[in-house]
Amino acid sequence: MKVSSGLLLYRERGGELEVFLVHPGGPFWARKDDGAWSIPKGEFEPPEDPLAAARREFTEETGFPIDGEFLPLTPLKQKSGKTVYAWAVRGDCDPALLKSNTFTFKGREFPEVDRAGWFGLVEAKRKILPGQAGFLENLRSLHH
């Protein structure tokens, strides 16, 4: 059973919650926008600690170190059968400074993440992969 873990970075701007999402790189995702964004995440192999994996993946995909209080969110099972573990953490970063690791596809190199952005919860719900939308609701309920 495949498992992955990631971080939902959030901040408050003008009393509104905003979340940091990333857009996957490569030809398959190039023209997809709504429903294509994700929390920075990646697969891990037990016995690796899921939170340690989430922190590693966040830094690999964004180039940003991450620290803070990690609040566990309810794991979500994806249509593929994979389970995604996630933690919310308050922080800030500049999407313009994104520096992602790369992967090779058909002999060409692509960034694992080609862009990132901050979104209010309503917009984030439209942007995020449907299978991860539960993390946004989970964050909202933790925050109130």
Side-chain angles (χ1 to χ4, degrees), residues 36-83:
W37 295 66
S38 172
I39 64 170
K41 66 170 187 55
E43 290 183 0
F44 69 96
E45 293 285 327
E48 186 181 9
D49 175 60
L51 178 55
R55 293 177 68 172
R56 172 179 46 80
E57 288 292 335
F58 185 91
T59 301
E60 281 180 7
E61 291 193 356
T62 66
F64 303 121
I66 186 78
D67 214 350
E69 185 187 349
F70 297 95
L71 307 168
L73 300 174
T74 306
L76 295 175
K77 201 173 185 89
Q78 306 298 290
K79 273 196 296 224
S80 65
K82 180 193 289 184
T83 298

Side-chain angles (χ1 to χ4, degrees), residues 5-12 17 19 39 50-51 54-55 66-75 84-91 134-144:
S5 63
L7 298 177
L8 179 59
L9 187 65
Y10 71 95
R11 67 185 185 187
E12 264 182 83
L17 272 185
V19 295
I39 64 170
L51 178 55
R55 293 177 68 172
I66 186 78
D67 214 350
E69 185 187 349
F70 297 95
L71 307 168
L73 300 174
T74 306
V84 181
Y85 295 89
W87 286 261
V89 60
R90 182 189 292 270
F135 293 140
L136 303 176
E137 289 305 314
N138 204 181
L139 173 67
R140 188 198 310 257
S141 63
L142 281 176
H143 206 263
H144 282 118

